[in-house]
C-alpha cells in the first residue's frame, strides 16, 4: 500500500516533473482518505482541485512536489531497485 503509493508519487514528481497532484475521494472511502493523509495530502477546495470531482460530495485533496520532497525525500534512494 504505502510503499507502492510512494513509488508512484516519486515517479510523478521526479521522473514526470509534475508540480502538484490532485485526488477526489468519496467520503465513505476511509482507507483512501487515511492513505492520502499519511502521504501528506491536504484537503483542497480550490477550483483546480474541485475540477476533478465526480460528485459534489467528493473530498478533494492535493499534494505538491516540494511537500513530497520535504516529507519523503530521504527515502527516495531506497524506493527503487538498482539497475
Amino acid at each position: 500500500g504505502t510503499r507502492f503509493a510512494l513509488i508512484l508519487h516519486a515517479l510523478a514528481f521526479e521522473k514526470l516533473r509534475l508540480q502538484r497532484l490532485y485526488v477526489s475521494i468519496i467520503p465513505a472511502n476511509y482507507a483512501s482518505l487515511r492513505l492520502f493523509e499519511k502521504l501528506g495530502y491536504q484537503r483542497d477546495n480550490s477550483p483546480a482541485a474541485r475540477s476533478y470531482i465526480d460528485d459534489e460530495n467528493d473530498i478533494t485533496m492535493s499534494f505538491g512536489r516540494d511537500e513530497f520532497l520535504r516529507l519523503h525525500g530521504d527515502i527516495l534512494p531506497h524506493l527503487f531497485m538498482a539497475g
Side-chain angles (χ1 to χ4, degrees):
T2 303
R3 182 178 170 87
F4 182 69
L6 285 169
I7 290 170
L8 289 177
H9 283 75
L11 288 170
F13 289 126
E14 293 301 296
K15 301 297 182 192
L16 299 177
R17 308 299 290 172
L18 299 177
Q19 294 302 306
R20 181 159 295 279
L21 298 175
Y22 298 94
V23 295
S24 175
I25 304 168
I26 60 172
N29 191 340
Y30 301 115
S32 287
L33 285 170
R34 278 193 311 274
L35 173 67
F36 286 109
E37 287 171 347
K38 186 176 182 179
L39 289 172
Y41 276 74
Q42 299 289 318
R43 290 188 186 221
D44 183 345
N45 288 315
S46 69
R50 298 302 290 168
S51 70
Y52 294 100
I53 64 171
D54 292 320
D55 184 85
E56 283 298 318
N57 294 320
D58 285 355
I59 296 168
T60 48
M61 304 174 88
S62 67
F63 193 34
R65 182 178 188 278
D66 291 341
E67 294 104 317
F68 176 77
L69 292 175
R70 183 177 54 77
L71 293 172
H72 306 292
D74 58 328
I75 63 166
L76 288 179
H78 307 286
L79 289 177
F80 301 102
M81 295 176 55

